[in-house]
Amino acid sequence: MPAIGSRHPSNLSTASILRIASNSTFECSQAKGPSVLDFCQMIPRIAWSAFFGRTLAAVCVFLLVNAAEAAPFKAISADDQTAAMRRGMNVMDADPVWGGSPAWFEVKHFRLLRDAGFDTVRINLHVFSHMDASGRIAVSWLKTLDKYIRAALDDGFTVVLDVHDNISCDKDIENCATKLQLAWDQIASRYKDESNKLLFELLNEPFGKLTPEIWNVLSRSLLKVVRRSNPN
């Protein structure tokens, strides 16, 4: 996957940007309206043969899943990558779903953003608090990330994974550097076979003691970690 710096979508609230993009008064927090149609509802209803309808659904699911798994990574230029990102939104910062509680931002909300005209989502990750003493990321946390990445990609988004632990880095830069290397080794390896629609943002912007100079040094070292499993 490509690794990028700290250029990111707007920090405006979801509700505010949705109103601008859709020219309506809809707010994400009021998302009680039509939900995202599941796949079965997209299969044409064939009154004369329920069996044929079920068979068609099964075949379509098989083709979609296998096409997604077979799609190879294709390197593209930074200019083309940026052009494809277009309008973006930050999501899931401090969302309780990371700890196993009910989500503020649910996978169905990706469709609301897509319908409002957004092309990119930047998933804010506070991974340090989900690593054990050896630096291993919790399996449950990774499975949650899997689910949201898959849903966003399936909705056609460019997805940016942003490690957002820069405040923790301000408190202890040496410990931060170690955790970042361990985290990106696992994350980059896990998603090495995804398409060029999934991007890695190695660390959120400089903050406090995490000066731009230190941030640049960390970014270069993390890029080497990512390149071990993602050479392109």
Side-chain angles (χ1 to χ4, degrees), residues 8-18 28 85-92 105 110 113 118-124 157-158 160:
H8 55 77
S10 170
N11 284 313
L12 289 174
S13 70
T14 302
S16 297
I17 299 181
L18 275 173
C28 268
M85 293 173 72
R86 295 169 57 82
R87 184 178 296 169
M89 170 73 74
N90 280 320
V91 296
M92 303 186 70
F105 186 92
F110 284 127
L113 292 177
F118 290 93
D119 305 281
T120 296
V121 287
R122 180 179 182 246
I123 301 178
N124 301 153
F157 284 103
T158 293
V160 180

Side-chain angles (χ1 to χ4, degrees), residues 13-85:
S13 70
T14 302
S16 297
I17 299 181
L18 275 173
R19 281 196 295 270
I20 294 170
S22 61
N23 193 28
S24 72
T25 58
F26 176 82
E27 297 199 20
C28 268
S29 61
Q30 300 172 348
K32 305 294 184 182
S35 62
V36 179
L37 293 177
D38 62 28
F39 183 78
C40 291
Q41 291 176 300
M42 289 187 282
I43 300 301
R45 302 197 180 280
I46 302 173
W48 58 268
S49 176
F51 172 77
F52 182 78
R54 288 194 298 271
T55 302
L56 176 60
V59 170
C60 289
V61 169
F62 175 82
L63 292 175
L64 286 169
V65 169
N66 282 276
E69 292 177 347
F73 172 78
K74 180 181 178 182
I76 60 176
S77 71
D79 287 341
D80 288 342
Q81 190 84 69
T82 302
M85 293 173 72

